[in-house]
Amino acid sequence: MAKFQFRLERILDVKKIREELRQRDWVEAMRETERQAALEQQIRQEQILFREQRNQKGSVGELKIEAELAGGMRRKVKKQTAQVAFARQTELKKKGELIDAMRERKVMEKLREKKQDEYLLEERRTENKLIDEMAGNRFRQKFGL
């Protein structure tokens, strides 16, 4: 009995490798999203501390500097929020690519299973035919036909 060989085994291997790469990309994108979100949280904490420490009394010059600093903090938070949104969008894109790669691999694996089942069925048919032929030959020998 010959060993089953799937004609598209190399393609299946490529699909598996592609899926692993997409998995790594997605994990990396998740980490980046977490990093950006943590940075955003840190900036927001700094903003809260700045608000708490602000001196409401002081000269006009000091109040003007504090207002500029507060505006800078708001811009910094806004910019980081955009960075988090971009990182999340990238993460979702990478997740979609991973899902597509997983589907492609599963399709190839199902095809492989189907072809292997067909091969095994054909092998059983061949084996049964051989057994029937051997039984027929013995019968003819035994009864002289």
Side-chain angles (χ1 to χ4, degrees), residues 100-114:
D100 290 344
M102 289 171 72
R103 281 189 194 126
E104 290 176 10
R105 177 193 47 86
K106 286 179 182 179
V107 165
M108 291 300 292
E109 285 178 345
K110 285 191 185 265
L111 179 61
R112 183 181 195 278
E113 288 174 15
K114 182 180 174 185

Side-chain angles (χ1 to χ4, degrees), residues 74-86:
R74 281 192 300 274
R75 285 188 296 279
K76 197 173 179 181
V77 168
K78 187 175 181 180
K79 180 181 176 185
Q80 189 57 38
T81 301
Q83 289 287 339
V84 170
F86 179 76

Side-chain angles (χ1 to χ4, degrees), residues 1-9 12 108-124:
M1 182 160 103
K3 184 180 174 187
F4 171 72
Q5 289 186 347
F6 184 50
R7 287 185 313 125
L8 305 173
E9 191 69 39
L12 177 59
M108 291 300 292
E109 285 178 345
K110 285 191 185 265
L111 179 61
R112 183 181 195 278
E113 288 174 15
K114 182 180 174 185
K115 293 295 184 184
Q116 189 170 19
D117 289 345
E118 289 173 2
Y119 171 79
L120 292 173
L121 181 63
E122 187 59 36
E123 284 291 314
R124 275 188 239 120

Side-chain angles (χ1 to χ4, degrees), residues 2 4 11 25 27-29 32 38 44 52 61 63 77 85 88 91 99 106 108 126 133 135 137 139 142 144-145:
F4 171 72
I11 294 172
D25 290 347
V27 168
E28 188 177 305
E32 179 63 16
R44 288 185 184 278
E52 290 173 354
L63 292 175
V77 168
R88 285 194 176 124
E91 178 185 344
I99 290 169
K106 286 179 182 179
M108 291 300 292
T126 303
E133 190 176 306
N137 288 341
F139 181 79
K142 188 173 186 179
L145 297 174

